[in-house]
Structures are given as structure tokens and as C-alpha cells.
Amino acid sequence: MSAAIGNVNRAMHRGVVQLVSTFLEDAGLPATPKPFLARGSKISDALAAGLENGLDGDVRGLDGIYVNVTSRQDFRPWDDLDRARVGADITGKPVAAFCQWRSGRSVGDSLVVLSLTDFAKLLRSSSTP
């Protein structure tokens, strides 16, 4: 999969991931953006970068939650949710979600989409002491 799935280009994707991660971090959550390597980087560069889990979502650090980010103008929630679910399954995370940002809106107005099953998991985990 390309790093810019659902986005106009890699630079836009990288910028939106940074915006979403910063917003969540400012809200007190341990979110960090997925590190991106320059286009055309060598495999040895990727290995040397020491990425803990290259398969992890666009927003990292959220315990048990796999999050992808998109700024796609045509809203295709099933495609994006399926991608997030596959990523969550591969990485062993119980909850999958994606964040949809639209240009012209603040990052705080972005949509976060997840299945009802995953929503129930989030609610259950936040209500247990």
C-alpha cells in the first residue's frame, strides 16, 4: 500500500497525519505520527531508522487502537474502515478506526469512523476501573 492511500499526495498525507497526531497529543493523548521516510529511500535506510512496527497505523501510541488518516475528497468509509481493520488484525490491535479530514475545516472537525463493535470495545474499556 502506498503511504498516501486516499490522499492527494504523500506530502498532504504526511501533513494531515501530523495535524491529527498533534491535535490528539494536545488533548492529552499519547499520540505520535507515523514516521515517514523520504520517497526513494533504500531498504537499508528504513531498517536503520529503527521503526518498531512498520505496519502500525498513521497515528501511533494509542493503546490498542489502530488509526489511519485520510484526506480523500470522496468519502468512502467502507474502503477506509476495511483498510484499518486489516491493519488492526495484522498488528493485533482490538480496535480499528480511521480519521477523515476535509480541507477548509479545522482538524478538530475531522470525522473518526469505527464499527459499532469497535465502538463498544472502546466504551467497555473506558468504563472498567
Side-chain angles (χ1 to χ4, degrees):
M1 281 192 262
S2 162
I5 287 179
N7 298 284
V8 177
N9 61 50
R10 290 174 186 265
M12 170 67 91
H13 181 69
R14 204 170 25 252
V16 174
V17 169
Q18 183 65 51
L19 281 172
V20 170
S21 297
T22 300
F23 180 88
L24 293 172
E25 185 180 33
D26 289 348
L29 298 167
T32 58
K34 175 182 181 177
F36 289 95
L37 297 172
R39 188 175 198 154
S41 295
K42 299 176 187 172
I43 291 176
S44 59
D45 294 337
L47 294 173
L51 304 178
E52 282 186 22
N53 187 351
L55 300 174
D56 212 352
D58 292 328
V59 177
R60 296 174 173 195
L62 303 174
D63 192 31
I65 305 171
Y66 184 95
V67 180
N68 275 341
V69 175
T70 182
S71 60
R72 180 192 329 263
Q73 290 302 308
D74 55 327
F75 188 56
R76 298 192 317 219
W78 290 114
D79 292 343
D80 291 326
L81 193 54
D82 287 346
R83 283 187 187 101
R85 180 76 264 152
V86 167
D89 289 345
I90 289 170
T91 59
K93 296 195 175 186
V95 174
F98 76 91
C99 179
Q100 171 76 48
W101 176 77
R102 296 281 200 194
S103 63
R105 294 197 178 248
S106 74
V107 70
D109 287 338
S110 298
L111 302 174
V112 176
V113 178
L114 64 159
S115 70
L116 186 57
T117 299
D118 285 348
F119 184 60
K121 288 176 189 175
L122 276 179
L123 292 177
R124 206 170 28 249
S125 69
S126 68
S127 65
T128 54

